[in-house]
Amino acid sequence: MTAGSPLLAELIEAFRCLPGVGAKSAQRMAFHVLERDRTGARRLADRLVAAIDRIGNCRQCRGFSETEICNVCASPARDRSLLCIVESPVDQAAVEAATGYRGLYFVLLGRLSPLDGLGPSELGVDLLGERLAQGEIKELIVATNPTVEGEATAHWLSQLARDAGVRATRLAHGVPLGGELEFIDRGTLAHAFGTRHTLT
Amino acid sequence: MTAGSPLLAELIEAFRCLPGVGAKSAQRMAFHVLERDRTGARRLADRLVAAIDRIGNCRQCRGFSETEICNVCASPARDRSLLCIVESPVDQAAVEAATGYRGLYFVLLGRLSPLDGLGPSELGVDLLGERLAQGEIKELIVATNPTVEGEATAHWLSQLARDAGVRATRLAHGVPLGGELEFIDRGTLAHAFGTRHTLT
């Protein structure tokens, strides 16, 4: 397939570590960078190495950070009475991009999943307990995914909050904006129907 | 969007040099490698650098090669009387993967396109003329793309071949195997109808 160059074959294979990249896309990417964008490819290589070497987890929120305490945790502009709990850094990025949320985050780096060996200690319960005990947090916004494991995690978090005397809230579930009832899954529709609210 | 890490934002931006990767995919790739596959990402970075630094063009066929003469041109198992002309290395890879072709290649690295400043000299006409003059080649297989510029290039190549007394052939055009007439573009269908052949 890559007549004449073993290095090219290795590059194509290496591209397959990326999500959503199969044999065809990997080949296309390798030929594209070699034929048309060697500068961009070198920049990508440099930044990959820099990111792998220097991005770790914030000591306070466990999100991605290249410093010990991330920019969000360190920012004086953030509301320290709000703590939003998400499963992963990508969820944190989604909340940050979509909402005007100006509080702090806590990243579980997983969800309660005994089969995968993920229990409270792996999810940073010590760190979270400390934060709750400090008394600065007034509201715990539980933004775990609405999956079976995410809901179990949310339930566990709400108990933690109750024990610490902190109010816990959960993101609303229901019909997505712009969605049509016809195409919405039955579970979501039943939930939205059951939790209907009064029009004012 | 990438709360807390400028390096992460830079990595996401760098991923966009890849074909078919927009803002969303780039973000997904960056978070994926950081969260789940740092080893794969480092391998990708290493191989990118190795490929950029060491893959150049074969002095004989102008295809990708990490040596002065590529493996295909150097192989004693290849039929030196056949020369297949393609526009780019990726076309060469496609022919190599799909067909049982065992001859040699010549890569134009473009197509005749005066507006883009691509004339015969950019397409390696000197090198190709030399090859044809050596008298070893008996058939020139013109595998440029069936686009306007590709057809113009094919026409030019056929004249070169005629001048050198070499037989030039062109890939067959027509209805793709497994295609349905209903969904085939009119140009292709008209061409296939016009060049119909006798069933034997």
Side-chain angles (χ1 to χ4, degrees):
Chain A
M1 187 161 84
T2 52
S5 175
L7 278 177
L8 180 56
E10 280 179 17
L11 177 60
I12 293 175
E13 197 273 322
F15 267 121
R16 300 194 56 179
C17 81
L18 300 175
V21 176
K24 264 284 192 201
S25 309
Q27 187 189 337
R28 188 162 152 242
M29 288 173 172
F31 277 103
H32 175 88
V33 298
L34 283 172
E35 277 182 62
R36 301 211 181 83
D37 197 2
R38 293 192 179 215
T39 324
R42 191 177 298 279
R43 192 172 57 227
L44 173 59
D46 290 346
R47 289 182 179 176
L48 269 172
V49 171
I52 299 165
D53 286 345
R54 291 166 49 199
I55 296 182
N57 294 94
C58 169
R59 212 156 49 97
Q60 199 169 321
C61 73
R62 315 215 312 165
F64 283 146
S65 172
E66 57 216 64
T67 46
E68 213 171 303
I69 301 292
C70 75
N71 295 353
V72 175
C73 288
S75 165
R78 292 279 176 157
D79 183 346
R80 289 172 185 277
S81 68
L82 298 173
L83 189 69
C84 176
I85 308 217
V86 290
E87 290 182 18
S88 69
V90 73
D91 295 339
Q92 178 188 6
V95 171
E96 189 72 7
T99 70
Y101 180 65
R102 300 297 297 163
L104 300 180
Y105 292 93
F106 187 82
V107 183
L108 297 172
L109 299 178
R111 62 207 73 87
L112 280 187
S113 175
L115 286 178
D116 300 323
L118 289 176
S121 59
E122 282 75 23
L123 303 185
V125 68
D126 301 345
L127 210 55
L128 184 58
E130 266 173 44
R131 293 283 289 278
L132 289 172
Q134 282 164 5
E136 212 177 14
I137 295 157
K138 300 294 172 231
E139 181 180 347
L140 198 73
I141 302 168
V142 179
T144 54
N145 291 321
T147 56
V148 173
E149 289 167 339
E151 291 294 351
T153 312
H155 182 71
W156 165 67
L157 289 168
S158 75
Q159 284 181 318
L160 272 188
R162 195 179 316 127
D163 295 348
V166 173
R167 176 177 167 235
T169 55
R170 182 96 175 99
L171 299 197
H173 296 319
V175 179
L177 299 192
E180 294 188 51
L181 296 194
E182 181 184 354
F183 301 114
I184 286 166
D185 67 289
R186 287 162 58 174
T188 303
L189 190 54
H191 182 95
F193 201 84
T195 57
R196 65 192 178 276
H197 55 82
T198 311
L199 280 174
T200 50
Chain B
M1 187 161 86
T2 50
S5 174
L7 278 179
L8 180 56
E10 280 179 17
L11 176 60
I12 292 174
E13 197 272 324
F15 267 121
R16 299 193 57 180
C17 81
L18 300 176
V21 176
K24 266 283 191 199
S25 309
Q27 187 189 336
R28 189 163 151 241
M29 287 174 173
F31 278 102
H32 175 88
V33 298
L34 283 172
E35 277 182 62
R36 301 210 182 84
D37 197 3
R38 292 193 181 215
T39 324
R42 191 177 298 279
R43 193 173 54 227
L44 174 58
D46 290 346
R47 290 184 178 175
L48 269 172
V49 171
I52 299 165
D53 286 345
R54 290 167 48 200
I55 295 182
N57 294 94
C58 169
R59 212 158 47 98
Q60 198 168 323
C61 73
R62 316 214 312 164
F64 283 146
S65 172
E66 57 216 64
T67 46
E68 214 171 303
I69 302 292
C70 74
N71 295 354
V72 174
C73 288
S75 165
R78 293 278 176 160
D79 183 346
R80 289 171 186 277
S81 68
L82 299 173
L83 189 69
C84 176
I85 309 218
V86 291
E87 289 182 18
S88 69
V90 72
D91 295 338
Q92 179 188 4
V95 172
E96 189 71 7
T99 69
Y101 179 63
R102 300 298 296 163
L104 299 179
Y105 293 93
F106 187 83
V107 184
L108 297 171
L109 299 177
R111 63 208 71 89
L112 279 187
S113 175
L115 286 177
D116 300 323
L118 289 176
S121 59
E122 282 75 22
L123 304 186
V125 68
D126 302 343
L127 210 53
L128 183 58
E130 265 174 46
R131 292 284 288 276
L132 288 173
Q134 281 164 6
E136 211 176 14
I137 295 158
K138 302 293 172 229
E139 181 179 348
L140 198 72
I141 303 168
V142 179
T144 55
N145 292 320
T147 57
V148 174
E149 289 166 339
E151 290 293 352
T153 311
H155 183 70
W156 166 66
L157 288 168
S158 74
Q159 284 182 316
L160 272 188
R162 194 177 319 127
D163 294 348
V166 172
R167 176 176 168 237
T169 54
R170 181 98 176 96
L171 299 196
H173 296 319
V175 179
L177 299 192
E180 295 189 50
L181 295 194
E182 181 183 353
F183 300 115
I184 286 165
D185 68 288
R186 286 163 56 175
T188 302
L189 190 54
H191 182 93
F193 200 84
T195 56
R196 64 191 178 276
H197 55 83
T198 312
L199 279 173
T200 48

